[in-house]
Amino acid sequence: MRKGLMTFLCTVLTMWCMGARAENKMYITIDGQTESVTLADTKAAEELMEALKQGNITVTLNDNDFEIWGALGRTLTQSDEQVEAQPGDIVLYNGSYICIFYSSNSWSYTRLGKIDGLTEQGLRSFLKAGSSGISVLLSASNPTAIRGIKGKGKDKADSACYSVSGQRVSTPANVNGNANGNGLYIKNGNKIIQ
């Protein structure tokens, strides 16, 4: 019985810790590349996460020789302190501006978080250092999607016919064993009724 109780308590503790860690992450997506962010233990970071749970936030940021920054579109609680911001740090400036650093700077900021696992060069590339009008998506969960399909070989569309179950057939007449060619089939990515 004691072993079963210990196993149960370990499982509950592990699940609780995993949930706490998941609450401590947000994601930044720029040009289809997504990176995770470990959030700071500040009221502003907590408020930002609550806002992200209601929906993604898209901001347009501009370069400032050591960071990309811009209006967050909302005001968060400030708890400014003198900070030596390092590459990957994300801070709140003046309560309503987000700054994401690819180099260092010392100023009075409220910490929001830090991008996980990128080198300084990786950050410069990811954050489009030197660019303006950078569209940045902030989200509470990791947005994943198929961005496109790249095929090998010719760029021409496949002219073969397929049944609705995905089987390649030599001609529409062979769809589902139908000798007269009547039925539904797919050719060049289009559904065709014959």
mmCIF file with all atom_site columns, all heavy atoms in Angstrom, residues 69-93:
data_model
loop_
_atom_site.group_PDB
_atom_site.id
_atom_site.type_symbol
_atom_site.label_atom_id
_atom_site.label_alt_id
_atom_site.label_comp_id
_atom_site.label_asym_id
_atom_site.label_entity_id
_atom_site.label_seq_id
_atom_site.pdbx_PDB_ins_code
_atom_site.Cartn_x
_atom_site.Cartn_y
_atom_site.Cartn_z
_atom_site.occupancy
_atom_site.B_iso_or_equiv
_atom_site.pdbx_formal_charge
_atom_site.auth_seq_id
_atom_site.auth_comp_id
_atom_site.auth_asym_id
_atom_site.auth_atom_id
_atom_site.pdbx_PDB_model_num
ATOM 1   N N   . TRP A 1 69 ? 11.573 46.273 -31.427 1.00 0.00 ? 69 TRP A N   1
ATOM 2   C CA  . TRP A 1 69 ? 10.648 46.800 -30.435 1.00 0.00 ? 69 TRP A CA  1
ATOM 3   C C   . TRP A 1 69 ? 9.444  47.440 -31.121 1.00 0.00 ? 69 TRP A C   1
ATOM 4   O O   . TRP A 1 69 ? 9.480  47.783 -32.289 1.00 0.00 ? 69 TRP A O   1
ATOM 5   C CB  . TRP A 1 69 ? 11.338 47.831 -29.546 1.00 0.00 ? 69 TRP A CB  1
ATOM 6   C CG  . TRP A 1 69 ? 11.592 49.113 -30.294 1.00 0.00 ? 69 TRP A CG  1
ATOM 7   C CD1 . TRP A 1 69 ? 12.592 49.366 -31.192 1.00 0.00 ? 69 TRP A CD1 1
ATOM 8   C CD2 . TRP A 1 69 ? 10.779 50.283 -30.264 1.00 0.00 ? 69 TRP A CD2 1
ATOM 9   N NE1 . TRP A 1 69 ? 12.469 50.621 -31.709 1.00 0.00 ? 69 TRP A NE1 1
ATOM 10  C CE2 . TRP A 1 69 ? 11.365 51.221 -31.155 1.00 0.00 ? 69 TRP A CE2 1
ATOM 11  C CE3 . TRP A 1 69 ? 9.629  50.626 -29.575 1.00 0.00 ? 69 TRP A CE3 1
ATOM 12  C CZ2 . TRP A 1 69 ? 10.817 52.473 -31.357 1.00 0.00 ? 69 TRP A CZ2 1
ATOM 13  C CZ3 . TRP A 1 69 ? 9.088  51.888 -29.780 1.00 0.00 ? 69 TRP A CZ3 1
ATOM 14  C CH2 . TRP A 1 69 ? 9.688  52.795 -30.667 1.00 0.00 ? 69 TRP A CH2 1
ATOM 15  N N   . GLY A 1 70 ? 8.378  47.591 -30.343 1.00 0.00 ? 70 GLY A N   1
ATOM 16  C CA  . GLY A 1 70 ? 7.189  48.263 -30.846 1.00 0.00 ? 70 GLY A CA  1
ATOM 17  C C   . GLY A 1 70 ? 6.061  48.179 -29.838 1.00 0.00 ? 70 GLY A C   1
ATOM 18  O O   . GLY A 1 70 ? 6.184  47.563 -28.770 1.00 0.00 ? 70 GLY A O   1
ATOM 19  N N   . ALA A 1 71 ? 4.962  48.803 -30.190 1.00 0.00 ? 71 ALA A N   1
ATOM 20  C CA  . ALA A 1 71 ? 3.786  48.845 -29.319 1.00 0.00 ? 71 ALA A CA  1
ATOM 21  C C   . ALA A 1 71 ? 3.183  47.455 -29.171 1.00 0.00 ? 71 ALA A C   1
ATOM 22  O O   . ALA A 1 71 ? 3.033  46.731 -30.153 1.00 0.00 ? 71 ALA A O   1
ATOM 23  C CB  . ALA A 1 71 ? 2.751  49.815 -29.868 1.00 0.00 ? 71 ALA A CB  1
ATOM 24  N N   . LEU A 1 72 ? 2.870  47.090 -27.952 1.00 0.00 ? 72 LEU A N   1
ATOM 25  C CA  . LEU A 1 72 ? 2.257  45.796 -27.656 1.00 0.00 ? 72 LEU A CA  1
ATOM 26  C C   . LEU A 1 72 ? 0.749  45.825 -27.898 1.00 0.00 ? 72 LEU A C   1
ATOM 27  O O   . LEU A 1 72 ? 0.123  44.791 -28.081 1.00 0.00 ? 72 LEU A O   1
ATOM 28  C CB  . LEU A 1 72 ? 2.578  45.406 -26.208 1.00 0.00 ? 72 LEU A CB  1
ATOM 29  C CG  . LEU A 1 72 ? 2.144  44.052 -25.713 1.00 0.00 ? 72 LEU A CG  1
ATOM 30  C CD1 . LEU A 1 72 ? 2.721  42.937 -26.589 1.00 0.00 ? 72 LEU A CD1 1
ATOM 31  C CD2 . LEU A 1 72 ? 2.583  43.852 -24.264 1.00 0.00 ? 72 LEU A CD2 1
ATOM 32  N N   . GLY A 1 73 ? 0.160  47.015 -27.914 1.00 0.00 ? 73 GLY A N   1
ATOM 33  C CA  . GLY A 1 73 ? -1.279 47.134 -28.148 1.00 0.00 ? 73 GLY A CA  1
ATOM 34  C C   . GLY A 1 73 ? -2.094 47.013 -26.874 1.00 0.00 ? 73 GLY A C   1
ATOM 35  O O   . GLY A 1 73 ? -3.312 46.937 -26.915 1.00 0.00 ? 73 GLY A O   1
ATOM 36  N N   . ARG A 1 74 ? -1.416 46.998 -25.747 1.00 0.00 ? 74 ARG A N   1
ATOM 37  C CA  . ARG A 1 74 ? -2.068 46.931 -24.432 1.00 0.00 ? 74 ARG A CA  1
ATOM 38  C C   . ARG A 1 74 ? -1.062 47.394 -23.396 1.00 0.00 ? 74 ARG A C   1
ATOM 39  O O   . ARG A 1 74 ? 0.136  47.418 -23.657 1.00 0.00 ? 74 ARG A O   1
ATOM 40  C CB  . ARG A 1 74 ? -2.566 45.531 -24.128 1.00 0.00 ? 74 ARG A CB  1
ATOM 41  C CG  . ARG A 1 74 ? -1.468 44.501 -23.985 1.00 0.00 ? 74 ARG A CG  1
ATOM 42  C CD  . ARG A 1 74 ? -1.967 43.064 -23.995 1.00 0.00 ? 74 ARG A CD  1
ATOM 43  N NE  . ARG A 1 74 ? -2.513 42.747 -25.303 1.00 0.00 ? 74 ARG A NE  1
ATOM 44  C CZ  . ARG A 1 74 ? -3.779 42.380 -25.529 1.00 0.00 ? 74 ARG A CZ  1
ATOM 45  N NH1 . ARG A 1 74 ? -4.597 42.195 -24.548 1.00 0.00 ? 74 ARG A NH1 1
ATOM 46  N NH2 . ARG A 1 74 ? -4.210 42.135 -26.753 1.00 0.00 ? 74 ARG A NH2 1
ATOM 47  N N   . THR A 1 75 ? -1.560 47.735 -22.224 1.00 0.00 ? 75 THR A N   1
ATOM 48  C CA  . THR A 1 75 ? -0.696 48.153 -21.126 1.00 0.00 ? 75 THR A CA  1
ATOM 49  C C   . THR A 1 75 ? -0.645 47.037 -20.085 1.00 0.00 ? 75 THR A C   1
ATOM 50  O O   . THR A 1 75 ? -1.675 46.461 -19.739 1.00 0.00 ? 75 THR A O   1
ATOM 51  C CB  . THR A 1 75 ? -1.230 49.452 -20.486 1.00 0.00 ? 75 THR A CB  1
ATOM 52  O OG1 . THR A 1 75 ? -1.271 50.461 -21.503 1.00 0.00 ? 75 THR A OG1 1
ATOM 53  C CG2 . THR A 1 75 ? -0.338 49.925 -19.354 1.00 0.00 ? 75 THR A CG2 1
ATOM 54  N N   . LEU A 1 76 ? 0.568  46.735 -19.638 1.00 0.00 ? 76 LEU A N   1
ATOM 55  C CA  . LEU A 1 76 ? 0.789  45.722 -18.604 1.00 0.00 ? 76 LEU A CA  1
ATOM 56  C C   . LEU A 1 76 ? 1.395  46.385 -17.375 1.00 0.00 ? 76 LEU A C   1
ATOM 57  O O   . LEU A 1 76 ? 1.984  47.466 -17.459 1.00 0.00 ? 76 LEU A O   1
ATOM 58  C CB  . LEU A 1 76 ? 1.741  44.631 -19.121 1.00 0.00 ? 76 LEU A CB  1
ATOM 59  C CG  . LEU A 1 76 ? 1.315  43.902 -20.406 1.00 0.00 ? 76 LEU A CG  1
ATOM 60  C CD1 . LEU A 1 76 ? 2.413  42.939 -20.853 1.00 0.00 ? 76 LEU A CD1 1
ATOM 61  C CD2 . LEU A 1 76 ? 0.002  43.168 -20.217 1.00 0.00 ? 76 LEU A CD2 1
ATOM 62  N N   . THR A 1 77 ? 1.263  45.728 -16.230 1.00 0.00 ? 77 THR A N   1
ATOM 63  C CA  . THR A 1 77 ? 1.791  46.255 -14.972 1.00 0.00 ? 77 THR A CA  1
ATOM 64  C C   . THR A 1 77 ? 3.305  46.366 -15.025 1.00 0.00 ? 77 THR A C   1
ATOM 65  O O   . THR A 1 77 ? 3.996  45.400 -15.314 1.00 0.00 ? 77 THR A O   1
ATOM 66  C CB  . THR A 1 77 ? 1.380  45.341 -13.797 1.00 0.00 ? 77 THR A CB  1
ATOM 67  O OG1 . THR A 1 77 ? -0.051 45.279 -13.753 1.00 0.00 ? 77 THR A OG1 1
ATOM 68  C CG2 . THR A 1 77 ? 1.920  45.858 -12.482 1.00 0.00 ? 77 THR A CG2 1
ATOM 69  N N   . GLN A 1 78 ? 3.806  47.569 -14.732 1.00 0.00 ? 78 GLN A N   1
ATOM 70  C CA  . GLN A 1 78 ? 5.240  47.797 -14.724 1.00 0.00 ? 78 GLN A CA  1
ATOM 71  C C   . GLN A 1 78 ? 5.841  47.466 -13.359 1.00 0.00 ? 78 GLN A C   1
ATOM 72  O O   . GLN A 1 78 ? 5.266  47.794 -12.329 1.00 0.00 ? 78 GLN A O   1
ATOM 73  C CB  . GLN A 1 78 ? 5.554  49.263 -15.031 1.00 0.00 ? 78 GLN A CB  1
ATOM 74  C CG  . GLN A 1 78 ? 5.297  49.664 -16.460 1.00 0.00 ? 78 GLN A CG  1
ATOM 75  C CD  . GLN A 1 78 ? 5.632  51.121 -16.685 1.00 0.00 ? 78 GLN A CD  1
ATOM 76  O OE1 . GLN A 1 78 ? 4.723  51.930 -16.812 1.00 0.00 ? 78 GLN A OE1 1
ATOM 77  N NE2 . GLN A 1 78 ? 6.912  51.449 -16.721 1.00 0.00 ? 78 GLN A NE2 1
ATOM 78  N N   . SER A 1 79 ? 6.979  46.833 -13.381 1.00 0.00 ? 79 SER A N   1
ATOM 79  C CA  . SER A 1 79 ? 7.793  46.638 -12.175 1.00 0.00 ? 79 SER A CA  1
ATOM 80  C C   . SER A 1 79 ? 9.244  46.842 -12.606 1.00 0.00 ? 79 SER A C   1
ATOM 81  O O   . SER A 1 79 ? 10.072 45.947 -12.521 1.00 0.00 ? 79 SER A O   1
ATOM 82  C CB  . SER A 1 79 ? 7.559  45.258 -11.560 1.00 0.00 ? 79 SER A CB  1
ATOM 83  O OG  . SER A 1 79 ? 7.794  44.237 -12.504 1.00 0.00 ? 79 SER A OG  1
ATOM 84  N N   . ASP A 1 80 ? 9.490  48.052 -13.140 1.00 0.00 ? 80 ASP A N   1
ATOM 85  C CA  . ASP A 1 80 ? 10.787 48.369 -13.733 1.00 0.00 ? 80 ASP A CA  1
ATOM 86  C C   . ASP A 1 80 ? 11.917 48.254 -12.731 1.00 0.00 ? 80 ASP A C   1
ATOM 87  O O   . ASP A 1 80 ? 11.774 48.580 -11.555 1.00 0.00 ? 80 ASP A O   1
ATOM 88  C CB  . ASP A 1 80 ? 10.778 49.788 -14.309 1.00 0.00 ? 80 ASP A CB  1
ATOM 89  C CG  . ASP A 1 80 ? 9.922  49.918 -15.553 1.00 0.00 ? 80 ASP A CG  1
ATOM 90  O OD1 . ASP A 1 80 ? 9.494  48.878 -16.091 1.00 0.00 ? 80 ASP A OD1 1
ATOM 91  O OD2 . ASP A 1 80 ? 9.682  51.055 -15.985 1.00 0.00 ? 80 ASP A OD2 1
ATOM 92  N N   . GLU A 1 81 ? 13.036 47.772 -13.256 1.00 0.00 ? 81 GLU A N   1
ATOM 93  C CA  . GLU A 1 81 ? 14.281 47.723 -12.507 1.00 0.00 ? 81 GLU A CA  1
ATOM 94  C C   . GLU A 1 81 ? 15.404 47.908 -13.519 1.00 0.00 ? 81 GLU A C   1
ATOM 95  O O   . GLU A 1 81 ? 15.223 47.659 -14.711 1.00 0.00 ? 81 GLU A O   1
ATOM 96  C CB  . GLU A 1 81 ? 14.437 46.403 -11.754 1.00 0.00 ? 81 GLU A CB  1
ATOM 97  C CG  . GLU A 1 81 ? 14.410 45.174 -12.650 1.00 0.00 ? 81 GLU A CG  1
ATOM 98  C CD  . GLU A 1 81 ? 14.459 43.867 -11.867 1.00 0.00 ? 81 GLU A CD  1
ATOM 99  O OE1 . GLU A 1 81 ? 14.660 43.888 -10.656 1.00 0.00 ? 81 GLU A OE1 1
ATOM 100 O OE2 . GLU A 1 81 ? 14.296 42.826 -12.513 1.00 0.00 ? 81 GLU A OE2 1
ATOM 101 N N   . GLN A 1 82 ? 16.554 48.375 -13.038 1.00 0.00 ? 82 GLN A N   1
ATOM 102 C CA  . GLN A 1 82 ? 17.703 48.518 -13.922 1.00 0.00 ? 82 GLN A CA  1
ATOM 103 C C   . GLN A 1 82 ? 18.113 47.123 -14.390 1.00 0.00 ? 82 GLN A C   1
ATOM 104 O O   . GLN A 1 82 ? 18.368 46.245 -13.579 1.00 0.00 ? 82 GLN A O   1
ATOM 105 C CB  . GLN A 1 82 ? 18.864 49.208 -13.196 1.00 0.00 ? 82 GLN A CB  1
ATOM 106 C CG  . GLN A 1 82 ? 19.982 49.620 -14.105 1.00 0.00 ? 82 GLN A CG  1
ATOM 107 C CD  . GLN A 1 82 ? 19.574 50.696 -15.111 1.00 0.00 ? 82 GLN A CD  1
ATOM 108 O OE1 . GLN A 1 82 ? 18.709 51.509 -14.850 1.00 0.00 ? 82 GLN A OE1 1
ATOM 109 N NE2 . GLN A 1 82 ? 20.197 50.677 -16.279 1.00 0.00 ? 82 GLN A NE2 1
ATOM 110 N N   . VAL A 1 83 ? 18.130 46.934 -15.711 1.00 0.00 ? 83 VAL A N   1
ATOM 111 C CA  . VAL A 1 83 ? 18.381 45.622 -16.295 1.00 0.00 ? 83 VAL A CA  1
ATOM 112 C C   . VAL A 1 83 ? 19.511 45.741 -17.308 1.00 0.00 ? 83 VAL A C   1
ATOM 113 O O   . VAL A 1 83 ? 19.525 46.678 -18.114 1.00 0.00 ? 83 VAL A O   1
ATOM 114 C CB  . VAL A 1 83 ? 17.102 45.091 -17.004 1.00 0.00 ? 83 VAL A CB  1
ATOM 115 C CG1 . VAL A 1 83 ? 17.385 43.831 -17.792 1.00 0.00 ? 83 VAL A CG1 1
ATOM 116 C CG2 . VAL A 1 83 ? 15.986 44.864 -16.000 1.00 0.00 ? 83 VAL A CG2 1
ATOM 117 N N   . GLU A 1 84 ? 20.429 44.812 -17.285 1.00 0.00 ? 84 GLU A N   1
ATOM 118 C CA  . GLU A 1 84 ? 21.420 44.657 -18.358 1.00 0.00 ? 84 GLU A CA  1
ATOM 119 C C   . GLU A 1 84 ? 20.847 43.580 -19.269 1.00 0.00 ? 84 GLU A C   1
ATOM 120 O O   . GLU A 1 84 ? 21.094 42.389 -19.080 1.00 0.00 ? 84 GLU A O   1
ATOM 121 C CB  . GLU A 1 84 ? 22.778 44.244 -17.796 1.00 0.00 ? 84 GLU A CB  1
ATOM 122 C CG  . GLU A 1 84 ? 23.855 44.064 -18.851 1.00 0.00 ? 84 GLU A CG  1
ATOM 123 C CD  . GLU A 1 84 ? 24.266 45.352 -19.558 1.00 0.00 ? 84 GLU A CD  1
ATOM 124 O OE1 . GLU A 1 84 ? 24.276 46.422 -18.919 1.00 0.00 ? 84 GLU A OE1 1
ATOM 125 O OE2 . GLU A 1 84 ? 24.553 45.279 -20.761 1.00 0.00 ? 84 GLU A OE2 1
ATOM 126 N N   . ALA A 1 85 ? 20.036 44.016 -20.235 1.00 0.00 ? 85 ALA A N   1
ATOM 127 C CA  . ALA A 1 85 ? 19.365 43.076 -21.135 1.00 0.00 ? 85 ALA A CA  1
ATOM 128 C C   . ALA A 1 85 ? 20.403 42.369 -21.991 1.00 0.00 ? 85 ALA A C   1
ATOM 129 O O   . ALA A 1 85 ? 21.333 42.982 -22.493 1.00 0.00 ? 85 ALA A O   1
ATOM 130 C CB  . ALA A 1 85 ? 18.353 43.810 -22.005 1.00 0.00 ? 85 ALA A CB  1
ATOM 131 N N   . GLN A 1 86 ? 20.204 41.058 -22.156 1.00 0.00 ? 86 GLN A N   1
ATOM 132 C CA  . GLN A 1 86 ? 21.106 40.208 -22.927 1.00 0.00 ? 86 GLN A CA  1
ATOM 133 C C   . GLN A 1 86 ? 20.376 39.662 -24.149 1.00 0.00 ? 86 GLN A C   1
ATOM 134 O O   . GLN A 1 86 ? 19.143 39.677 -24.199 1.00 0.00 ? 86 GLN A O   1
ATOM 135 C CB  . GLN A 1 86 ? 21.598 39.046 -22.054 1.00 0.00 ? 86 GLN A CB  1
ATOM 136 C CG  . GLN A 1 86 ? 22.412 39.483 -20.850 1.00 0.00 ? 86 GLN A CG  1
ATOM 137 C CD  . GLN A 1 86 ? 23.671 40.232 -21.250 1.00 0.00 ? 86 GLN A CD  1
ATOM 138 O OE1 . GLN A 1 86 ? 24.418 39.771 -22.101 1.00 0.00 ? 86 GLN A OE1 1
ATOM 139 N NE2 . GLN A 1 86 ? 23.883 41.395 -20.648 1.00 0.00 ? 86 GLN A NE2 1
ATOM 140 N N   . PRO A 1 87 ? 21.114 39.163 -25.146 1.00 0.00 ? 87 PRO A N   1
ATOM 141 C CA  . PRO A 1 87 ? 20.457 38.577 -26.310 1.00 0.00 ? 87 PRO A CA  1
ATOM 142 C C   . PRO A 1 87 ? 19.426 37.514 -25.908 1.00 0.00 ? 87 PRO A C   1
ATOM 143 O O   . PRO A 1 87 ? 19.708 36.655 -25.082 1.00 0.00 ? 87 PRO A O   1
ATOM 144 C CB  . PRO A 1 87 ? 21.621 37.941 -27.084 1.00 0.00 ? 87 PRO A CB  1
ATOM 145 C CG  . PRO A 1 87 ? 22.802 38.773 -26.716 1.00 0.00 ? 87 PRO A CG  1
ATOM 146 C CD  . PRO A 1 87 ? 22.584 39.128 -25.259 1.00 0.00 ? 87 PRO A CD  1
ATOM 147 N N   . GLY A 1 88 ? 18.225 37.645 -26.455 1.00 0.00 ? 88 GLY A N   1
ATOM 148 C CA  . GLY A 1 88 ? 17.136 36.715 -26.152 1.00 0.00 ? 88 GLY A CA  1
ATOM 149 C C   . GLY A 1 88 ? 16.172 37.238 -25.103 1.00 0.00 ? 88 GLY A C   1
ATOM 150 O O   . GLY A 1 88 ? 15.063 36.716 -24.964 1.00 0.00 ? 88 GLY A O   1
ATOM 151 N N   . ASP A 1 89 ? 16.577 38.265 -24.338 1.00 0.00 ? 89 ASP A N   1
ATOM 152 C CA  . ASP A 1 89 ? 15.685 38.820 -23.318 1.00 0.00 ? 89 ASP A CA  1
ATOM 153 C C   . ASP A 1 89 ? 14.505 39.533 -23.968 1.00 0.00 ? 89 ASP A C   1
ATOM 154 O O   . ASP A 1 89 ? 14.651 40.185 -25.008 1.00 0.00 ? 89 ASP A O   1
ATOM 155 C CB  . ASP A 1 89 ? 16.419 39.806 -22.417 1.00 0.00 ? 89 ASP A CB  1
ATOM 156 C CG  . ASP A 1 89 ? 17.326 39.134 -21.403 1.00 0.00 ? 89 ASP A CG  1
ATOM 157 O OD1 . ASP A 1 89 ? 17.223 37.895 -21.239 1.00 0.00 ? 89 ASP A OD1 1
ATOM 158 O OD2 . ASP A 1 89 ? 18.138 39.837 -20.767 1.00 0.00 ? 89 ASP A OD2 1
ATOM 159 N N   . ILE A 1 90 ? 13.347 39.408 -23.330 1.00 0.00 ? 90 ILE A N   1
ATOM 160 C CA  . ILE A 1 90 ? 12.135 40.099 -23.764 1.00 0.00 ? 90 ILE A CA  1
ATOM 161 C C   . ILE A 1 90 ? 11.675 40.931 -22.579 1.00 0.00 ? 90 ILE A C   1
ATOM 162 O O   . ILE A 1 90 ? 11.513 40.405 -21.472 1.00 0.00 ? 90 ILE A O   1
ATOM 163 C CB  . ILE A 1 90 ? 11.041 39.105 -24.197 1.00 0.00 ? 90 ILE A CB  1
ATOM 164 C CG1 . ILE A 1 90 ? 11.558 38.214 -25.325 1.00 0.00 ? 90 ILE A CG1 1
ATOM 165 C CG2 . ILE A 1 90 ? 9.782  39.860 -24.619 1.00 0.00 ? 90 ILE A CG2 1
ATOM 166 C CD1 . ILE A 1 90 ? 10.633 37.081 -25.673 1.00 0.00 ? 90 ILE A CD1 1
ATOM 167 N N   . VAL A 1 91 ? 11.493 42.237 -22.825 1.00 0.00 ? 91 VAL A N   1
ATOM 168 C CA  . VAL A 1 91 ? 11.135 43.134 -21.731 1.00 0.00 ? 91 VAL A CA  1
ATOM 169 C C   . VAL A 1 91 ? 9.979  44.034 -22.142 1.00 0.00 ? 91 VAL A C   1
ATOM 170 O O   . VAL A 1 91 ? 9.661  44.186 -23.324 1.00 0.00 ? 91 VAL A O   1
ATOM 171 C CB  . VAL A 1 91 ? 12.342 44.003 -21.299 1.00 0.00 ? 91 VAL A CB  1
ATOM 172 C CG1 . VAL A 1 91 ? 13.485 43.129 -20.784 1.00 0.00 ? 91 VAL A CG1 1
ATOM 173 C CG2 . VAL A 1 91 ? 12.800 44.925 -22.400 1.00 0.00 ? 91 VAL A CG2 1
ATOM 174 N N   . LEU A 1 92 ? 9.388  44.638 -21.124 1.00 0.00 ? 92 LEU A N   1
ATOM 175 C CA  . LEU A 1 92 ? 8.339  45.631 -21.289 1.00 0.00 ? 92 LEU A CA  1
ATOM 176 C C   . LEU A 1 92 ? 8.969  46.992 -21.025 1.00 0.00 ? 92 LEU A C   1
ATOM 177 O O   . LEU A 1 92 ? 9.683  47.172 -20.047 1.00 0.00 ? 92 LEU A O   1
ATOM 178 C CB  . LEU A 1 92 ? 7.218  45.359 -20.276 1.00 0.00 ? 92 LEU A CB  1
ATOM 179 C CG  . LEU A 1 92 ? 6.008  46.278 -20.303 1.00 0.00 ? 92 LEU A CG  1
ATOM 180 C CD1 . LEU A 1 92 ? 5.208  46.055 -21.580 1.00 0.00 ? 92 LEU A CD1 1
ATOM 181 C CD2 . LEU A 1 92 ? 5.136  46.022 -19.077 1.00 0.00 ? 92 LEU A CD2 1
ATOM 182 N N   . TYR A 1 93 ? 8.712  47.938 -21.917 1.00 0.00 ? 93 TYR A N   1
ATOM 183 C CA  . TYR A 1 93 ? 9.237  49.293 -21.773 1.00 0.00 ? 93 TYR A CA  1
ATOM 184 C C   . TYR A 1 93 ? 8.063  50.258 -21.684 1.00 0.00 ? 93 TYR A C   1
ATOM 185 O O   . TYR A 1 93 ? 7.130  50.191 -22.491 1.00 0.00 ? 93 TYR A O   1
ATOM 186 C CB  . TYR A 1 93 ? 10.148 49.633 -22.952 1.00 0.00 ? 93 TYR A CB  1
ATOM 187 C CG  . TYR A 1 93 ? 10.618 51.053 -22.973 1.00 0.00 ? 93 TYR A CG  1
ATOM 188 C CD1 . TYR A 1 93 ? 11.540 51.509 -22.034 1.00 0.00 ? 93 TYR A CD1 1
ATOM 189 C CD2 . TYR A 1 93 ? 10.149 51.951 -23.934 1.00 0.00 ? 93 TYR A CD2 1
ATOM 190 C CE1 . TYR A 1 93 ? 11.980 52.818 -22.058 1.00 0.00 ? 93 TYR A CE1 1
ATOM 191 C CE2 . TYR A 1 93 ? 10.585 53.259 -23.965 1.00 0.00 ? 93 TYR A CE2 1
ATOM 192 C CZ  . TYR A 1 93 ? 11.500 53.699 -23.018 1.00 0.00 ? 93 TYR A CZ  1
ATOM 193 O OH  . TYR A 1 93 ? 11.936 54.987 -23.029 1.00 0.00 ? 93 TYR A OH  1
#
